[in-house]
Amino acid sequence: MNLKILLLPGDGIGTEVTSAASCVLQAVAKKFGHTLELSEGLLGGVAIHKTGTPLPDETLQKALAADATFMGAVGLPEFDNVAPEKRPEKGLLGIRKALGVFANLRPVRTWPALVESSPLKNHLVEGTDMIIVRELTGGLYYGEPRGIFGDRAFNTMAYTRVEIERVTRKAFALARARRKKLTNVDKSNVLEVSQFWRRVVNDVAPEFPDVELEHMLVDTCAMQLVLSPRRFDVIVTENTFGDILSDEGAVLAGSIGMLPSASLGESKGLYEPVHGSAPDIAGQNKANPLGAIGSVAAMLEYSFGLMKEAEAVNTAIGRVLESGNVTADLKPKGAPATTDEVGRAVSEAL
Ligand code: IPM
Ligand code: MG
């Protein structure tokens, strides 16, 4: 199979984890006899520096022409006080919207080798295996009107029936292939948007009679995630809630560096580790590339239907974790491995 993939390293540790991910991609292609057609593009702060905009048109055209896009991370501290419109993050929001990737799958699982890495007690985190499905192209992030006007500022949370239906169907379908339980998370005791969201989820539910549906308020969910994480199979929630809950989920996985994600639409796929650009450790070859490498596995599975290949990458990640050849975030004591070393170790384990 020919895999036409665009790499967007972006900012901070994005470049380092992307090169580790690309190393694994090449190893997988070689092992399973696929050809890789890799190209690179600019996104985020690096794109602002080189072209004046966080999402150059050339990048967008390349993403539309590729089968799948991999993104490292965006964001630089020098833009901290800049308006949202002109920030590196705007590039990521723009490409998500342009590719129409409305469902962001963020799997959270505890790897046996990492139970000690979570600050939570082992008996709580052991066996955690869930997918947070975050709506990605609507809600507060994109709602109009928005702005700062003198002494008043506002954003708008808005959803249409169609936007809720399509992400709900994705989440139900995922649950159907897993443990058949879907938790809808909202704030329907306060927000009209959430009341409507819950109504639409209930309207979709009869299409999936074999999946058990429950509703949970987002504050309760924040608590249940750390109290009883095993109770969750698939969670579906709106954009901002999903952003927040998935970082909390990272605590269950032992490190935010472990979390992969897949953003899916009708046709295109965008794959990004959840961790962000981590400017404090950028350029030091010490970032954990396993979230990025897990995102490669997700790409193989969701964009190319290459299940064997995806499983091989995940098995290789598990082996490297067992070997203890891991980065500093997972290894408070002893000599940690570098980003490159972990990338090579996973490629070799393949
Ligand atoms: C994430 C990140 C992004 C988001 C930022 C970098 C715009 O936090 O993917 O979770 O909020 O979606
Ligand atoms: Mg986030």
Side-chain angles (χ1 to χ4, degrees):
M1 191 168 183
N2 185 50
L3 316 177
K4 189 170 177 191
I5 296 165
L6 173 64
L7 301 176
L8 302 173
D11 305 321
I13 61 168
T15 42
E16 298 153 65
V17 300
T18 302
S19 90
S22 149
C23 165
V24 171
L25 207 45
Q26 293 176 34
V28 140
K30 189 160 168 225
K31 178 177 159 83
F32 290 89
H34 301 297
T35 52
L36 270 185
E37 210 180 312
L38 288 182
S39 58
E40 266 202 32
L42 296 170
L43 184 77
V46 60
I48 297 180
H49 285 150
K50 292 202 174 138
T51 71
T53 153
L55 174 56
D57 194 49
E58 192 188 335
T59 299
L60 191 52
Q61 295 313 322
K62 281 183 178 169
L64 290 168
D67 299 324
T69 299
F70 177 94
M71 200 275 315
V74 295
L76 290 173
E78 63 187 90
F79 294 98
D80 276 355
N81 297 314
V82 171
E85 268 312 299
K86 300 207 168 85
R87 293 177 64 104
E89 288 84 349
K90 185 74 186 169
L92 178 57
L93 301 186
I95 198 166
R96 286 173 177 168
K97 192 78 169 176
L99 293 178
V101 288
F102 58 82
N104 179 220
L105 282 44
R106 300 191 156 184
V108 176
R109 54 173 291 195
T110 48
W111 297 81
L114 292 188
V115 277
E116 290 296 339
S117 302
S118 173
L120 297 171
K121 293 195 169 74
N122 294 3
H123 75 272
L124 286 179
V125 294
E126 259 158 3
T128 296
D129 180 6
M130 72 180 91
I131 301 184
I132 299 175
V133 179
R134 168 188 177 194
E135 200 291 327
L136 200 62
T137 52
L140 272 181
Y141 275 54
Y142 296 92
E144 299 281 349
R146 62 190 295 161
I148 304 175
F149 298 89
D151 286 338
R152 189 163 175 266
F154 49 87
N155 287 92
T156 303
M157 187 191 276
Y159 272 107
T160 63
R161 175 171 284 274
V162 171
E163 286 176 311
I164 304 166
E165 279 172 354
R166 62 188 184 182
V167 71
T168 300
R169 288 202 178 96
K170 268 273 196 278
F172 263 117
L174 280 168
R176 175 172 268 173
R178 293 168 47 96
R179 301 194 305 277
K180 302 195 184 346
K181 185 170 166 197
L182 179 63
T183 307
N184 168 54
V185 173
D186 61 37
K187 189 68 188 173
S188 61
N189 54 346
V190 177
L191 304 175
E192 284 81 359
V193 179
S194 283
Q195 292 188 337
F196 180 65
W197 177 286
R198 190 177 283 207
R199 191 192 306 163
V200 175
V201 171
N202 280 328
D203 289 346
V204 172
E207 296 171 28
F208 301 85
D210 52 327
V211 178
E212 180 200 334
L213 170 66
E214 67 170 349
H215 298 288
M216 194 180 278
L217 297 174
V218 63
D219 47 354
T220 308
C221 181
M223 189 170 69
Q224 288 300 321
L225 269 178
V226 285
L227 278 182
S228 177
R230 271 191 302 272
R231 73 188 300 296
F232 295 106
D233 180 12
V234 178
I235 290 176
V236 66
T237 192
E238 70 89 44
N239 204 342
T240 307
F241 298 159
D243 177 47
I244 298 168
L245 293 176
S246 57
D247 269 32
E248 191 187 357
V251 176
L252 301 163
S255 161
I256 193 157
M258 290 303 300
L259 257 59
S261 90
S263 305
L264 309 175
E266 301 306 345
S267 59
K268 297 290 173 195
L270 173 67
Y271 300 84
E272 19 167 329
V274 174
H275 52 62
S277 60
D280 53 325
I281 58 161
Q284 299 172 35
N285 199 14
K286 66 188 213 191
N288 183 350
L290 293 175
I293 294 170
S295 304
V296 165
M299 173 188 283
L300 294 166
E301 173 173 351
Y302 295 113
S303 277
F304 299 107
L306 298 172
M307 310 304 280
K308 269 204 324 267
E309 287 79 343
E311 205 187 303
V313 173
N314 284 322
T315 307
I317 292 175
R319 279 215 201 108
V320 170
L321 288 174
E322 296 290 339
S323 79
N325 199 8
V326 293
T327 43
D329 53 323
L330 300 176
K331 201 171 189 176
K333 287 191 220 110
T338 64
T339 309
D340 290 341
E341 280 164 359
V342 174
R344 276 199 301 274
V346 175
S347 306
E348 279 157 25
L350 271 167

